[in-house]
């Protein structure tokens, strides 16, 4: 068993554990922290897959920026452990069953996908994940989406301003 | 690694996200679960990227096959960031008005 | 088209500038449709402009133009950020330009997001109103969820084909693999969500109801039909290999959508909410285009988009100004505003699919496309029966307007508004008699 | 001359139009002159035509007016046919009709001008329709007249429209006639379908094309028509009720002309009937039973007109008996004599009613003999005629029918003779109670008793003369060989020979003797009994049964009319409102209900929404990837 | 050219009417334009078939669909356009005294419905036909709901949804037909030559027939009708029962039987049995009505039942009878409605239990009504006799027993019609009816005109029959 295999299993387990903990944690702050753990695990996977750029971006953008934003909002709202007052167990069970069956059925279907059974993901070789390659493709083939994303950001910015700016008190 | 492992891992992560969306009622945590789903997809895309690249790589080491998936992941992250900013703004706005982020209280609109 | 995105950045200003911008856009669009492209940008396999998309785009722009002209004043009343609202509307238009002409799934994703994010914001733009806030959050959460599903679908598709191009992906795999099938299914589901097909329609009534009426008007019409354009483009090339199970699935979705939309609309008290449900029902009809995916389907979708947008925008333009949005609120409207009531009647008739209005030919083409595919007559019968149900609630408005007495508080409107409404009604009637005036753009 | 046949119905039509449209402006005398004059003109033309027809070797003449209905499948011309039969009926109709018109002009004197005009218009219209009926050269034209007389009968029965009883009677008459008309109509359809024509000459020429079943069916259906029009069992109850109309109307329509239309039609179709022995048997039985039944009822009636009405029904039964046994000539003969004496009886009754101020109950009459000599004499003559006392006209015609019946089957004869005796009995009961004894009405009425004006008595006298001598046109062979002028006259029209020729003279004398003897006994008994002890008290026991007409009206009411109306009510209330309409509304309600339920799915909870989305995703995946097993079922639903 | 004029004249004058605010003016204008239409219709009916473009019109409409503006005036069309053209001036004139709030809208909508009706009878293209089919319905919906009786909204509502559902079913059938034509068109000619599978024929048959059956209406699709007739303003009821129900009958003859003859033959037993049940059923119910309008409504159902049965008898005679009867029934029932309206307008009631003895106060009205009632009974020498005679004739050829059973209705029709006459006009005058004046000149002349039509075509129906000959020819060719 090579190091990569060990790492793969370790990271997978970590990711799954983190994901479960996000779900289970009562305190939102812990959820955020567990989510960061998941992101780290996923970044680890990226590294394993030789996608160094994405690994870094993932850490910086997700774990660094987005999650901090989440944390910030949670802190701002002062949401502590018991923020979910009434428990609707029925809904939870139903949700879990539905999600679970969704998972089972997807796995069942995808396992049957014959054309995937022989293929493997290249672990170490290849350097498409490097910035150099990505940058070239991005600015050649993917220029338009790149430009258009600016519209997206602009709209998000405008939106954040429209929504976030303090208005009058609600009248209802 | 066999690609199936990655598929399974992603699907399981994805579904944990789905279950999270279904079972939690805190809007922020639901949102986080959605982010979890996105990350599962990202992981899968990267794995596929390497898979396709690997197929080309054997014959042509300079091939850039699979790059597009990684770029896609990049775009997903970008979009997610935008989404988060808007989403959190909305949540904050609601919180300011109702002092709650419990989605179960959101039932003024029904029937 | 491409330039919309660039243009609008500078045009986030007042209504008149918006109108001017839209006129320019419309001109460019129509010009391009006739082959006079002003610019030519190499889109490198991201976008491809062809008749269908362009025509669709033109319809969306034209509808937006009308929307701005009819309801521009009301946009200003929503809040203090008029310029921003217009900007957001233009962003959405940009997204529509993308989804009507994408060839790369990445563009689809980005386009949908560009449409969605401003929509979330517009929904929540009435910040004082808790309903608006609530709608916005609901919309956002569910929208993000469906985005996740869409991405999963795209990822799975990529997994089988190694490309994001719609066409090439189809060409590579003549027989469909489980992975691809699952990917397509997930894409179908998430797009169904965007165009509010049952059983993924649940957000629609709440969001449309909660959003400021003027934006509901925009979202329920232009945004929604754009979703269908995306739908068509996605499945156009893949459909043949998907097998009878999918056809059946779509049929089930159609029936469910028609049933949910129509049946629930029957019981509504608020016209706005009724229109929300009716928009679901109309989506069910538009899905016929996907079911049959032939020439008639495309023609029909174009016509449907035009008829539906024009009529719904017209109705909303009046609804926005009403103080009482329930059916009772319309009592006696025919007496106090005979002209507007008459025009509204034409809109409602069009939505119900009565001949002599564009709505008839729209529905006609849709049904025709199904019949053309073969013997799915059961589906046609179900559809027409539900169309009869739809007449039920549309006519409730007409009844209230003409046959019941009541005092309507309706602000004075400018004669320009009235003339514009009459003009829209005239367009609907003309299209109802000569649908070819629009459809000829598809072929020349 | 016969080419001018169209003039005959034209005159009454003109009279109808003038009187009908101008009734508010014309004076009464002018109205009566127009009313009577047009009929007189028709009578004169009829007479001229009759003389032409009477010449030996006359062949039937068809007068073509225009094509009534011409479709690819058949052509129905508006044609008149002049032959022996129709010209004879023309004479009866216009002749008796004229007399009754004259009589009416006096009888209706007290009516307001516009109603007077209406009355004459109706009467003229009736004559027009009746003429159409007998003149028509095909069954459809006959049917037009056939329905037309029904209409006029309806209008005239309900002439005094303020009285709802009368209106009911009128409606009853029309509806019952309609039942018969339906039969007639179906028969016409059958003929048209089979032969593509309804013109008599062509139908009879091609009668051989019919199978026995067909011809039996057609003749039966035609007979149903005759039942309605000629008041035979089971469609006879309208006729007594029809006495609600003015008395001259009863005389004209319900005694002399319209009710004999059935006889005319069957005689006209004798070619067909001769081919259908089954139908003839049926007619015989119906005729006989009707004759007997009506006679028994007449015994206990106290309304002067009702007695006459049942008598008419009974006599019509006689005629059908004659038709049934093949004595077509005899039936026509009886039609003719009956027209004379029954019209006379009715007019006499009218005269009496006139005198006693609209009192119709014979229990409150009596002793009118001395007050109204002319009426009395003529009435007596008519009674003798109808009772079959030689040498009055009734004797000859009745005898011919009875003889034919005997030849056919002696049992028929026995019943016929009994009926004849009953006829004599009730007629003289009527006579005795009206004219003999002492007056039993109020003092006031007695004071005003008077003979009728001459406009009324002259027709009485004329008819009385005819009743007395009318029988000599049909003297049977036993008295004078080949003297039966009527039979000779009609022979071109009637192809089937009567069976009476088989009887020996001795038998015939015997038969006559028995019937006349029985009649004489009945007369004697009635005369003596009722002139001294008039029957005042209400009948009891069997008599009550008869007085109440065997409760047939009640039976019809309970068995047909009420159930139908009740069924209509049931349909209206339960099937229509709670049934079909409820289903229709139920669809709407169902939609509303489902709407109300489905609406609840929209709970407003994001969690629920997403849950449902996920669940449906699961189901969709199941359908797509595991749905092959569902294929057969789904195929059925969506293909 | 004439077909286009027949549609455009009412359509344009309807539009004009909308802008004539003054009541008097709009009334007069509507009457005037309807008289012009009548003149055109008479001219059209009198023109020979051979005169080229005079009676036909053809222009491109939706080329991608193969739909064309094709109008033509054949014999059957002539009869029905004539009926429509006669009906409207008569309606306008006889209700001239009635006041409608917003009269410009009222008369405008009336004229629109006339245009729609004309279109239905003239269209030679199935899609065009469908268009006009709906166009005729919508104005009537508005008319009934706006100017009707107390329960008008709910009642008209039902009527509308019911017929609309039917129309939509028909649309499904039309679509199917369209794709089965070899040249993908809606033209009558190609539809007549269409060849369908047995299943296809049945599908088309039922989708179309149900739509037509609802319109006619045939038992058991009739329940909208009495309520609607009762609640509509009488002028509209006249349009509905006089002309509009003929649309269904006409459509069966023009679009159903020729296109799917085999299915029509196969299903004829079913349809005829239902029609006959409907005839008797409606007649029995009519006997129990206490309202003039409802009684006439049920009577109308019974008459239509006969037409429906006769149409499917598959006999030329019956078909001709149906066409003639469409005309005759239209005239007669309008006459009855005029009287019903006069009574209601003057006395404010239509209940038999509150009426009686009107003949003393209004003798002219009584006579005219009796003539109309007798025409309703189909007495010989009234126009209805000819039609019924031919129809029963055809039905008899089809099946003796069915004709016999159907014939019971001619007894029942006498029962209830005469009952109505008796209840309204005869008997002692009731209190409350004294104020009735005899018929007003306008209505009187209209009624006299109708009576003349009744009698003239009753005595000499050949002109009408000649017009119907080609309806039979078409059916004969198909055999």
């Amino acid at each position: 068993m090579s190091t990569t295999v060990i790492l793969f299993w370790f990271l997978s387990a970590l990711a799954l554990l983190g994901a479960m903990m996000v779900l289970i944690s009562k305190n939102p702050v812990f959820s955020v922290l567990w989510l960061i753990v998941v992101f780290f695990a996923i970044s680890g996977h990226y590294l394993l897959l030789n996608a160094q750029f994405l690994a870094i971006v993932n850490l910086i953008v997700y774990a660094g920026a987005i999650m901090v934003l989440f944390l910030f909002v949670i802190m701002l709202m002062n949401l502590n452990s018991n923020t979910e007052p009434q428990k609707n167990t029925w809904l939870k069970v139903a949700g879990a069953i539905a999600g679970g069956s969704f998972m089972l059925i997807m796995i069942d279907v995808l396992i049957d996908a014959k054309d995937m059974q022989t293929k493997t993901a290249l672990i170490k070789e290849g350097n498409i994940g490097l910035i150099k390659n990505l940058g070239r493709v991005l600015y050649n083939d993917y220029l338009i989406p790149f430009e258009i994303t600016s519209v997206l950001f602009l709209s998000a910015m405008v939106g954040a301003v429209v929504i976030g700016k303090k208005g009058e008190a609600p009248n209802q | 690694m066999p690609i199936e492992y990655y598929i399974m891992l992603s699907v399981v992560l994805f579904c944990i996200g789905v279950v999270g969306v279904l079972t939690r009622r805190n809007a922020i945590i639901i949102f986080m679960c959605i982010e979890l789903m996105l990350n599962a997809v990202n992981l899968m895309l990267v794995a596929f990227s390497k898979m396709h690249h690997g197929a080309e790589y054997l014959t042509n080491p300079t091939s850039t096959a699979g790059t597009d998936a990684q770029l896609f992941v990049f775009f997903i992250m970008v979009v997610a960031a935008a989404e988060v900013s808007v989403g959190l703004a909305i949540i904050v706005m609601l919180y300011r008005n109702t002092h709650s982020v419990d989605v179960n209280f959101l039932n003024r609109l029904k029937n | 088209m491409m330039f919309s995105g660039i243009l609008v950045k500078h045009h986030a200003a007042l209504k008149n500038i918006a109108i001017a911008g839209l006129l320019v856009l419309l001109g460019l669009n129509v010009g391009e449709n006739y082959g006079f492209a002003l610019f030519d940008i190499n889109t490198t396999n991201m976008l491809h402009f062809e008749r269908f998309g362009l025509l669709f785009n033109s319809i969306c722009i034209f509808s937006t133009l009308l929307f701005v002209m009819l309801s521009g004043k009301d946009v200003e009343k929503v809040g203090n950020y008029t310029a921003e609202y217009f900007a957001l509307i233009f962003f959405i238009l940009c997204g529509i330009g993308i989804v009507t002409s994408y060839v790369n799934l990445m563009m689809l994703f980005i386009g949908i997001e560009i449409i969605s994010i401003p929509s979330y914001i517009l929904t929540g733009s009435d910040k004082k109103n808790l309903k608006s806030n609530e709608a916005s959050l609901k919309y956002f959460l569910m929208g993000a969820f469906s985005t996740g599903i869409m991405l999963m679908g795209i990822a799975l598709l990529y997994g089988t084909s190694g490309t994001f191009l719609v066409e090439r992906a189809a060409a590579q795999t003549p027989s469909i693999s489980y992975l691809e099938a699952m990917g397509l299914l997930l894409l179908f589901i998430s797009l169904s969500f965007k165009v509010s097909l049952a059983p993924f329609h649940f957000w629609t009534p709440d969001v449309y109801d909660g959003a400021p009426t003027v934006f509901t008007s925009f979202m329920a019409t232009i945004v929604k039909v754009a979703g269908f354009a995306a739908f068509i483009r996605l499945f156009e090339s893949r459909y043949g290999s998907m097998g009878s199970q999918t056809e059946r699935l779509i049929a089930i979705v159609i029936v469910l959508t028609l049933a949910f939309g129509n049946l629930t609309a029957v019981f509504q008290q608020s016209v706005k909410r009724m229109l929300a449900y009716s928009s679901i029902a109309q989506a069910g009809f538009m899905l016929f285009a996907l079911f049959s995916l032939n020439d008639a389907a495309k023609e029909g979708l174009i016509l449907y988009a035009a008829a539906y947008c024009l009529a719904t925008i017209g109705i909303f333009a009046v609804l926005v100004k009403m103080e009482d949005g329930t059916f009772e609120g319309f009592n006696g409207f025919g007496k106090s505003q005979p002209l507007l009531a008459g025009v509204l009647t034409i809109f409602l008739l069009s939505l119900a699919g009565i001949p002599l209005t564009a709505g008839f030919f729209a529905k006609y083409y849709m049904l025709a496309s199904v019949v053309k595919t073969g013997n799915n007559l059961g589906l046609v019968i179900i559809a027409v029966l539900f169309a009869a149900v739809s007449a039920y609630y549309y006519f409730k408005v007409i009844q209230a307007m003409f046959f019941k007495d009541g005092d309507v508080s309706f602000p004075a409107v400018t004669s320009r508004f009235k003339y514009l409404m009459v003009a829209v009604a005239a367009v609907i009637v003309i299209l109802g008699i000569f649908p070819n005036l629009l459809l000829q753009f598809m072929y020349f | 001359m016969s080419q001018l046949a169209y003039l005959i119905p034209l005159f009454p039509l003109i009279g109808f139009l003038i009187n009908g449209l101008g009734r508010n402006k014309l004076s009464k005398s002018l109205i009566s002159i127009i009313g009577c004059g047009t009929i007189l003109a028709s009578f004169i033309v009829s007479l001229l035509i009759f003389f032409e027809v009477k010449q030996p070797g006359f062949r039937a003449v068809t007068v073509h007016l225009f094509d009534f209905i011409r479709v690819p499948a058949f052509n129905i011309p508006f044609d008149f046919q002049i032959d022996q039969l129709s010209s004879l009926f023309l004479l009866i109709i216009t002749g008796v009709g004229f007399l009754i018109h004259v009589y009416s002009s006096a009888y209706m004197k007290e009516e307001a001008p516009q109603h007077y005009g209406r009355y004459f218009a109706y009467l003229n219209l009736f004559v027009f329709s009746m003429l159409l009926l007998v003149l028509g050269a095909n069954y459809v034209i006959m049917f037009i007249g056939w329905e037309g007389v029904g209409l006029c009968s309806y209008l005239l029965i309900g002439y005094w429209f303020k009285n709802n009883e009368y209106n009911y009677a009128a409606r009853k008459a029309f509806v019952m006639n309609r039942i018969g008309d339906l039969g007639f109509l179906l028969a016409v359809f059958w003929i048209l379908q089979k032969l593509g024509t309804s013109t008599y000459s062509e139908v009879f020429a091609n009668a051989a094309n019919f199978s026995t079943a067909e011809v039996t069916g057609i003749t039966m259906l035609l007979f149903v028509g005759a039942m309605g029009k000629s008041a035979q069992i089971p469609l006879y109850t309208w006729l007594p009720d029809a006495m609600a109309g003015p008395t001259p109307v009863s005389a004209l329509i319900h005694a002399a002309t319209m009710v004999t239309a059935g006889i005319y039609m069957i005689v006209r179709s004798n070619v067909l009937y001769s081919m259908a022995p089954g139908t003839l048997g049926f007619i015989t039985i119906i005729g006989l039973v009707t004759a007997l039944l009506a006679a028994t009822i007449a015994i206990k009636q106290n309304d002067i007109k009702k007695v006459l009405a049942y008598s008419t029904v009974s006599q019509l039964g006689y005629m059908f008996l004659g038709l049934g046994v093949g004595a077509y000539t005899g039936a026509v003969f009886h039609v003719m004599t009956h027209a004379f004496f029954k019209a006379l009886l009715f007019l006499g009754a009218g005269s009496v009613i006139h005198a006693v101020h609209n009192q119709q109950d014979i229990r409150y009459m009596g002793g009118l003999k001395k007050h109204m000599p002319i009426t009395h004499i003529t009435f007596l003559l008519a009674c003798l005629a109808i009772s079959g006392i030689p040498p009055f006209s009734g004797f000859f015609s009745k005898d011919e029918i009875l003889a034919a019946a005997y030849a056919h089957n002696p049992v028929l004869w026995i019943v016929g003779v009994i009926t004849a005796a009953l006829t004599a009995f009730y007629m003289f009961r009527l006579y005795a109670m009206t004219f003999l004894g002492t007056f039993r009405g109020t003092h006031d009425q007695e004071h005003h008793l008077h003979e009728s004006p001459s406009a009324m008595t002259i027709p009485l006298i004329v008819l009385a003369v005819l009743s007395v001598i009318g029988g000599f046109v049909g003297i049977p062979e036993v008295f004078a060989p080949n003297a039966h002028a009527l039979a000779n006259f009609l022979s071109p029209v009637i192809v089937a020979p009567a069976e009476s020729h088989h009887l020996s003279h001795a038998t015939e004398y015997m038969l006559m003797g028995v019937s006349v003897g029985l009649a004489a006994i009945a007369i004697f008994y009635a005369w003596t009994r009722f002139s001294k002890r008039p029957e005042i008290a209400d009948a009891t026991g069997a008599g009550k049964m008869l007085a109440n007409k065997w409760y047939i009206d009640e039976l019809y009411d309970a068995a047909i009319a009420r159930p139908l109306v009740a069924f209509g009510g049931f349909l209206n209330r339960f099937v229509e409102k709670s049934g079909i309409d409820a289903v229709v509304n139920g669809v709407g309600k169902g939609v509303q209900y489902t709407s109300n339920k489905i609406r609840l799915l929209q709970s407003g909870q994001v969690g629920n929404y997403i849950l449902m989305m996920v669940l449906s995703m699961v189901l969709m995946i199941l359908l797509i990837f595991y749905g092959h097993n569902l294929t057969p079922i789904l195929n059925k639903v969506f293909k | 050219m004439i077909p286009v004029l027949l549609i455009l004249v009412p359509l344009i004058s309807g539009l004009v009417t909308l802008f004539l605010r003054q009541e008097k003016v709009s009334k007069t204008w509507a009457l005037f334009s309807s008289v012009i239409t009548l003149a055109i219709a008479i001219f059209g009916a009198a023109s020979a078939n051979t005169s080229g473009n005079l009676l036909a019109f053809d222009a491109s409409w939706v080329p991608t669909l193969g739909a064309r503006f094709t109008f033509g005036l054949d014999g059957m069309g002539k009869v029905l356009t004539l009926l429509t053209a006669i009906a409207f001036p008569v309606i306008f004139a006889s209700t001239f005294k009635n006041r409608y709030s917003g009269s410009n809208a009222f008369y405008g909508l009336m004229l629109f419905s006339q245009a729609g009706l004309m279109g239905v009878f003239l269209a030679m293209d199935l899609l065009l036909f469908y268009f006009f089919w709906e166009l005729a319905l919508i104005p009537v919906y508005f008319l009934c709901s706006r100017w009707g009786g107390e329960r008008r909204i709910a009642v008209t509502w039902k009527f509308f949804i019911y017929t609309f559902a039917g129309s939509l079913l028909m649309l499904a059938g039309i679509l199917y037909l369209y794709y089965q034509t070899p040249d993908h068109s809606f033209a009558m000619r190609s539809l007549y030559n269409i060849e369908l599978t047995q299943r296809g024929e049945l599908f088309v048959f039922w989708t179309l027939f149900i739509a037509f059956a609802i319109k006619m209406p045939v038992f058991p699709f009739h329940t909208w009708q009495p309520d609607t007739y009762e609640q509509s303003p009488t002028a509209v009821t006249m349009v509905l029962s006089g002309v509009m129900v003929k649309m269904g009958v006409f459509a069966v003859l023009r679009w159903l039987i020729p296109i799917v003859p085999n299915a029509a033959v196969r299903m004829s037993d079913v349809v005829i049995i239902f029609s006959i049940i409907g005839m008797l059923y409606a007649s029995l119910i009519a006997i129990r009505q206490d309202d003039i309008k409802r009684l006439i409504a049920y009577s109308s159902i019974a008459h239509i039942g006969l037409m429906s049965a006769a149409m499917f008898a598959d006999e030329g005679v019956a078909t001709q009878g149906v066409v003639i009867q469409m005309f005759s029934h239209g005239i007669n029932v309008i006459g009855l409605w005029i009287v019903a309206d006069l009574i209601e307008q003057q006395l404010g009631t239509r209940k038999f239990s509150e009426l009686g003895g009107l003949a003393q106060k209004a003798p002219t009205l009584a006579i005219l009504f009796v003539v109309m009632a007798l025409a309703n009974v189909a007495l010989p020498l009234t126009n209805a006799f000819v039609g019924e005679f031919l129809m029963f004739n055809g039905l008899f050829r089809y099946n003796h027993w069915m004709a016999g059973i159907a014939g019971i209705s001619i007894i029942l029709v006498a029962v209830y019609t005469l009952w109505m006459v008796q209840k309204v006009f005869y008997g002692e005058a009731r209190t409350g009816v004294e104020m009735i004046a005899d018929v007003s000149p306008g209505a009187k002349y209209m009624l006299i005109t109708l009576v003349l039509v009744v009698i003239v075509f009753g005595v000499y129906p050949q002109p009408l029959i000649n017009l119907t000959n080609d309806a039979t020819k078409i059916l004969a060719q198909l055999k």
Side-chain angles (χ1 to χ4, degrees), chain C residues 345 352 354-356 360-361 364-365 367-368 371-372 377 380-381 384 387-388 391-392 395 398-399 403 432-433 436, chain E residues 61-65 130-131 134-135 138 141-142 145-146 152-153 157 160-161 164 168 171-172 175-176 179 186:
Chain C
T345 307
I354 307 279
L356 216 66
F360 166 71
F361 267 114
Y364 178 84
Y365 271 96
L367 295 177
V371 176
K372 210 174 177 179
L377 294 171
V380 174
I381 300 269
V384 296
Y392 184 88
F395 273 68
I398 296 180
Q399 283 179 344
F403 314 137
I433 302 175
N436 255 46
Chain E
W61 182 21
V62 191
T64 50
L65 284 181
Y130 181 81
F131 242 66
E134 293 287 321
L135 183 62
I138 302 288
Y141 166 71
F142 279 97
S145 289
R146 175 77 179 75
R152 62 181 194 276
I153 295 180
W157 187 221
F160 178 78
I161 292 289
F164 186 60
L168 285 168
L171 185 62
L175 274 164
Y176 178 78
Y179 281 108
F186 297 97

Side-chain angles (χ1 to χ4, degrees), chain E residues 335-354:
Chain E
L336 292 177
W337 289 125
I338 291 177
V339 179
D341 184 47
L342 284 172
I343 293 170
E344 192 186 1
Q345 293 284 335
Q346 295 194 30
L347 300 180
T349 179
R350 304 184 303 251
K351 293 235 177 297
F352 295 141
S353 46
E354 296 167 12

Side-chain angles (χ1 to χ4, degrees), chain B residues 52 68 83 97 108 110-111, chain C residues 113 133-134 158-159 273:
Chain B
H52 287 297
D68 42 2
E83 221 170 55
N97 289 338
R108 278 172 205 84
K110 66 176 172 187
N111 294 340
Chain C
E113 281 304 303
N133 297 344
E134 178 185 330
Y158 179 80
R273 219 172 153 79

Side-chain angles (χ1 to χ4, degrees), chain C residues 361 433-437 440, chain E residues 57-71 125 128:
Chain C
F361 267 114
I433 302 175
F434 303 103
N436 255 46
L437 290 180
Q440 64 180 359
Chain E
F57 179 81
D58 187 53
S60 168
W61 182 21
V62 191
T64 50
L65 284 181
R68 297 182 70 78
F69 281 114
T70 315
F71 298 108
D125 179 290
L128 200 60

